[in-house]
Every structure is written in C-alpha cells, then in structure tokens.
Amino acid sequence: MNKELRVIVSGGGTGGHIFPAVSIANAVRRLRPDAKILFIGAQGRMEMQRVPAAGYEIKGLPVRGFFRPLWKPANIGVAFDYLRSKWQAKRILKEFRPDVAVGVGGYASSAALGAANSMGIPTLIQEQNSYAGLANKQLAAKARKICVAYEGMERFFPADKIMLTGNPVRQALLDTTLSREDAVRSLGFNPERKTVLLVGGSLGARTVNESVLQHLDLVSGSDVQFLWQTGKYYYAGIQQQLKGRDLPNLKVTDFITDMGAAYRAADLVISRAGASSISEFCLIGKPVILVPSPNVAEDHQTKNALALANRDAAIYVKDADAPATLLRLAIDTVNDEQKLRLLSENVLKLALPDSADIIAKEVIKLAEENESK
C-alpha cells in the first residue's frame, strides 16, 4: 500500500499558468485519489481566487515581478519580497512535507520551487510557451523533469530532462457534446451562416476590440455572425460606442462562461497567442487568426504564433497591423472553405492529447522514486 501522496503545485499570475496547474492537480487526484495537494501562489493575483474555486487550498506569497529596467530603485523592495517569499515557502514546505513540487511558471513558482530545490525535494517544471520564461529557466538546473509543449526547447533546458507532453487544457472544452448547429442556436444566431469568435482573454485585448470598432461598417455589411468577448475592463465603454447601432449579426459580451460551446459554434476564432489557448485550438482543430500581445515577456506570444503560422496551422497578424486589416481578413478567411479546412487539418497535427495525465504520471513517479530512496 502506497503511503499518502503529498504534492505542491506552484505558479500563476495569468489564466495561462492557472489552467494547466489545476489540470495537472486534477489528473494527479484522478490517478491517486489519496493525494493531498497544496497550491502556492502570489498574493493579490488571480490564482488566489481561481484555485479555491477549483476545490484546492492555496497559500499566498508576497512575491511580485521586477520593474524594467532592472536598475530601478523600486526593485530593492521587490528583491526583499522575493527573499521573504522564499523563507515563507520553506516554512510551508516544512509543515506540508511534500513528496514532490510542481512549477508552472510565474513569480510564485520561482520562490516555491527554489525553496524545494534547496531542501532536496524533487521538482518538475512545466513550460507552456515556445520561449521559456525566466522563472523556469532559473529552476531548470535543479529540476528532475521538464515538461514542454514545443519541440526545440533544448536551447533553454538540459536535453536529458526534457519531455514533450503538450499543455494541459480545460477538460470542459473537450467534453462538450453540443453540435455546431445547437451551439450556434444557443447564441441566438443562424446555423446556416458563418460565425467568427473574437476573444482577447478574460481581461480582453484592446487591439482586437479596436479592430472591430474601426470597421463596424464591415460587420453590418457582412453575412458573417460575430461573437465578441470584449473583456470586463472594456465592456461598458464599448456598449456606449455601439449605442444606437443596428447590428443583429454582432453579439457582445464581457466574458464567456461556456468556452466549449463558443468554440463549437465558431467557424473561425480570433485570439491572442497565449500557450494555453493555442493548445486548445490544436486539440479541437479550430481554424484561428492569432494576434500576439506585444506586452508579454520576451515577446513569447509572437514566437508561439509563428510556431503555428510557419506550418500553415494558423494565420498570424501583427498587433500593430490588426486595426487596419484584421476584420477584412477574418471575413475573407471564414468564407474560404478550402483555407478553413487546411488550417483545421494542420493545427490538429500539432495536438498533444492527454497532457495532464502524462505529466501527472511523471509527478507520481518522481514522488515514488523519492520515497524509495
């Protein structure tokens, strides 16, 4: 009889880190129902709400990101908070006594897994992007296993530790049983007409929003239906700008709860190029136009987008070009059956299914190896 499995999962800051972290935890729990799982996140970040909502306990650290450029005086306080966070993480680890620690990137994972490494606790890191984040690059030397979603990651990590697993995605997206027609009808749209989904993440994307607002004439003059997630921050202002406009083929919402139904309804998606979103498009074979955010570390979203676009598995539009070109391109693309079929076939080839289970098995294996020593 195996002893109770105890696992630390750390990371967050964005949905792109939190979704994989929760998916890995869920998979560990499926494989080992006895597992005790504790999350470590950053105080004030979204994981402090999202993780408890998923049914897990989380401890918060006062860790935060450095200001650019690094010589800014404010970074003295940031460095002090990091040292304090690492000390707090060691205390949490001593109390919880984990068999293994998993890091998915973000400020908290740097402190938590750094503490785990210094205490001899085996660590596994999961890198979602095609360009490795700073936290994971720093943790790689002492990690036992590094799970990645893209080929060619040897330029960031020791080759003998790398395992190509893909990114875990929200299971609900794969479990939806709606037909395309029923999903379109649920939006109040006509299933005989093409539907484009515009989504900029839970916070929205200003460039994607401006790309629509500047071309409402194309929307009104088109047979295409648009489901537009603006993000909560932009929603009220956009509603004000749309007041008095007759746009029956445009449905505007601040947030989409059932993304499985939204993806199923869409013939084409317009999205930022976060790693989790891209993994979802690969698994469901969804044609997509990617508009990478320019406001991310190391411009990693552009690298993610090009990894697909270079294989004709997505269309890449530069953020600066989007307001002028995006909407016309979307209308032309969604009406081009051959192009949609090509994009769908090619993006499906890049899918790496069962990522969460594969990673969870590695987590359990590391824990058992540590136990037997």
Side-chain angles (χ1 to χ4, degrees):
M1 177 76 178
N2 289 330
K3 83 172 186 71
E4 177 185 82
L5 180 68
R6 304 180 75 84
V7 182
I8 287 284
V9 182
S10 185
T14 67
H17 289 315
I18 298 165
F19 294 141
V22 170
S23 295
I24 293 167
N26 289 343
V28 169
R29 192 170 269 178
R30 276 197 305 275
L31 294 168
R32 285 285 297 269
D34 66 303
K36 295 285 184 270
I37 300 171
L38 176 66
F39 279 72
I40 298 177
Q43 291 170 4
R45 305 291 286 190
M46 68 166 68
E47 59 264 28
M48 301 307 293
Q49 285 77 46
R50 296 282 180 88
V51 168
Y56 295 98
E57 183 185 357
I58 186 167
K59 304 276 190 185
L61 303 176
V63 66
R64 52 200 172 104
F66 283 97
F67 297 97
R68 302 298 172 101
L70 290 176
W71 45 258
K72 280 192 173 183
N75 282 325
I76 296 170
V78 176
F80 178 75
D81 282 344
Y82 176 79
L83 293 173
R84 198 154 57 101
S85 295
K86 199 166 177 182
W87 178 80
Q88 287 185 18
K90 281 187 177 180
R91 192 173 63 185
I92 292 167
L93 295 175
K94 281 176 184 171
E95 289 174 3
F96 186 72
R97 294 175 290 106
D99 302 296
V100 62
V102 180
V104 296
Y107 309 137
S109 72
S110 178
L113 265 74
N117 283 331
S118 70
M119 295 168 68
I121 297 164
T123 60
L124 176 149
I125 58 179
Q126 196 257 330
E127 175 56 60
Q128 295 99 37
N129 293 292
S130 60
Y131 193 94
L134 184 60
N136 280 347
K137 282 192 281 190
Q138 290 173 336
L139 294 167
K142 293 188 176 178
R144 300 278 182 90
K145 187 69 70 174
I146 303 167
C147 297
V148 301
Y150 293 88
E151 294 174 349
M153 298 301 284
E154 297 83 4
R155 65 193 194 279
F156 303 112
F157 302 129
D160 60 331
K161 297 181 180 183
I162 292 174
M163 183 175 185
L164 184 64
T165 61
N167 284 324
V169 303
R170 293 171 282 185
Q171 192 62 36
L173 299 181
L174 307 178
D175 292 344
T176 184
T177 56
L178 280 175
S179 67
R180 178 199 170 268
E181 289 72 22
D182 287 342
V184 173
R185 285 194 190 97
S186 74
L187 301 173
F189 281 158
N190 181 351
E192 294 181 9
R193 292 167 67 179
K194 295 290 187 181
T195 301
V196 173
L197 168 65
L198 301 106
V199 57
S202 56
L203 300 177
R206 185 168 62 181
T207 299
V208 173
N209 292 341
E210 284 298 323
S211 301
V212 181
L213 288 171
Q214 291 183 25
H215 297 285
L216 292 174
D217 56 326
L218 287 178
V219 174
S220 62
S222 168
D223 284 337
V224 176
Q225 302 164 136
F226 296 89
L227 174 59
W228 178 16
Q229 180 189 287
T230 64
K232 292 184 179 179
Y233 179 79
Y234 300 101
Y235 181 69
I238 287 171
Q239 287 287 65
Q240 198 64 34
Q241 291 186 68
L242 294 176
K243 200 174 261 185
R245 298 292 298 250
D246 183 27
L247 296 162
N249 58 330
L250 178 66
K251 184 179 175 70
V252 184
T253 182
D254 60 341
F255 184 75
I256 297 170
T257 306
D258 189 350
M259 282 304 297
Y263 281 154
R264 186 59 60 90
D267 299 288
L268 176 70
V269 179
I270 293 170
S271 172
R272 288 303 201 188
S276 290
S277 296
I278 285 179
S279 294
E280 291 170 358
F281 302 139
C282 292
L283 283 167
I284 61 179
K286 190 58 62 174
V288 61
I289 299 175
L290 296 169
V291 186
S293 170
N295 307 312
V296 294
E298 312 288 356
D299 196 25
H300 68 252
Q301 285 203 7
T302 295
K303 297 174 177 75
N304 291 346
L306 289 173
L308 270 67
N310 289 340
R311 301 186 189 193
D312 281 330
I315 296 171
Y316 161 59
V317 173
K318 194 175 178 181
D319 186 84
D321 298 337
T325 65
L326 182 60
L327 211 66
R328 169 51 67 192
L329 176 63
I331 291 169
D332 290 346
T333 302
V334 81
N335 284 311
D336 185 340
E337 289 291 348
Q338 190 175 348
K339 184 68 173 176
L340 291 179
R341 191 162 52 250
L342 177 72
L343 290 170
S344 180
E345 288 172 358
N346 287 341
V347 81
L348 270 171
K349 291 174 188 172
L350 302 179
L352 292 166
D354 305 318
S355 298
D357 283 346
I358 293 167
I359 296 168
K361 285 173 184 171
E362 287 300 309
V363 171
I364 293 166
K365 186 173 155 191
L366 279 179
E368 290 173 346
E369 284 173 0
N370 188 47
E371 185 186 336
S372 64
K373 283 181 180 175

